[in-house]
Amino acid sequence: MRLILASASALALVACGAPTAPASSAEAAPAVPAAAPEAAPADAAVEVTYGKAATYKLDPTHASLIWRVKHLGLSNYTARFTNFDATLVFNPDDAAATSLTARIDPASVETDYSGDYKAGHADSGFESWNEHLGQSGDYFNASAFPEITFTSTAIIKTGPDTGTVTGDLTFLGVTKPVTLDVKYNGVAQFPWAPEADNIGFSATTTLTRSDFGLTAGTPYVGDEVEVIIEAEFGEVVAPADAPTDAE
């Protein structure tokens, strides 16, 4: 927001008594007030260009799903999932007509563990920390619960490019409501597919892992988990030769 401060001063000359001899030209010329700058227009409303109402699929090459949890109160231990997908039914004019479903493979967890896992865990039946975290019954237990899912139940527009998405998150067989704070980032068309819209979002939420029965590592590992999502979605466009409903 531009803040423009404009000020102007006026000089008043008051004369009284008998006229006196004219002053020198330098003294006689009154000061000319500087012209005040033109008033700036009021801040325009945020202008947002939306993608068309359509079904969109997540573009996994331009998406990330990161989570962070306190470790000993010293740092935010950070990891991510590498295999996930989502479908968005998007209606920019009617949030109630918009819906989102997502699926995450818990075995796709990536921690970038840099140590020698087997040297430090000789008795473990797992070959890596990623495998331990993804497969162990103490953690994500992917063999018993091969998917983490999210299904939206309410979407509310809070501003021209912001909103909340509330939905049911199912993790370790437990379903709890979760609300994402979402920012809409815009729409673009790729040169090789100019007929299709591509829309992007950023989202965050905080989960309580014990709500889903995950308590391993307590109290050394925090209970709150911050989730950070970046996602691009591509419009699903039917092939030109696809039959219509009327055919």
Side-chain angles (χ1 to χ4, degrees):
M1 176 185 297
R2 293 191 309 164
L3 178 62
I4 299 179
L5 300 177
S7 62
S9 61
L11 298 178
L13 298 178
V14 179
C16 62
T20 58
S24 66
S25 59
E27 294 174 338
V32 178
E38 293 184 6
D43 287 344
V46 176
E47 294 185 4
V48 179
T49 302
Y50 299 102
K52 65 176 70 75
T55 297
Y56 293 78
K57 289 290 289 182
L58 181 74
D59 175 2
T61 62
H62 297 98
S64 61
L65 177 50
I66 297 169
W67 51 267
R68 307 195 305 184
V69 61
K70 288 289 186 184
H71 179 251
L72 295 170
L74 301 176
S75 67
N76 290 305
Y77 185 80
T78 304
R80 65 188 185 277
F81 292 107
T82 61
N83 182 7
F84 54 96
D85 60 49
T87 299
L88 173 67
V89 178
F90 184 61
N91 188 325
D93 299 318
D94 185 1
T98 298
S99 63
L100 173 70
T101 57
R103 180 206 63 86
I104 304 164
D105 176 6
S108 72
V109 63
E110 176 56 67
T111 62
D112 297 310
Y113 185 86
S114 60
D116 186 338
Y117 173 80
K118 293 302 288 184
H121 305 80
D123 297 331
S124 174
F126 302 106
E127 294 301 315
S128 68
W129 174 235
N130 288 344
E131 184 183 343
H132 186 161
L133 195 59
Q135 298 290 349
S136 169
D138 291 336
Y139 290 100
F140 298 162
N141 202 3
S143 59
F145 304 102
E147 287 188 340
I148 302 168
T149 62
F150 178 85
T151 302
S152 67
T153 55
I155 296 177
I156 299 174
K157 190 175 180 180
T158 59
D161 58 354
T162 58
T164 60
V165 178
T166 298
D168 291 331
L169 177 68
T170 300
F171 174 45
L172 294 174
V174 178
T175 300
K176 296 283 186 180
V178 168
T179 297
L180 303 171
D181 292 311
V182 179
K183 183 179 185 304
Y184 172 74
N185 295 325
V187 58
Q189 294 78 36
F190 297 144
W192 54 89
E195 74 285 358
D197 281 350
N198 299 274
I199 54 180
F201 300 86
S202 301
T204 60
T205 192
T206 300
L207 312 176
T208 303
R209 64 189 183 98
S210 61
D211 285 349
F212 298 88
L214 180 52
T215 58
T218 305
Y220 310 106
V221 178
D223 197 23
E224 289 191 344
V225 181
E226 181 185 7
V227 180
I228 304 123
I229 301 166
E230 295 291 338
E232 292 184 21
F233 289 82
E235 179 188 355
V236 177
V237 178
D241 56 354
T244 63
D245 294 339
E247 295 177 333

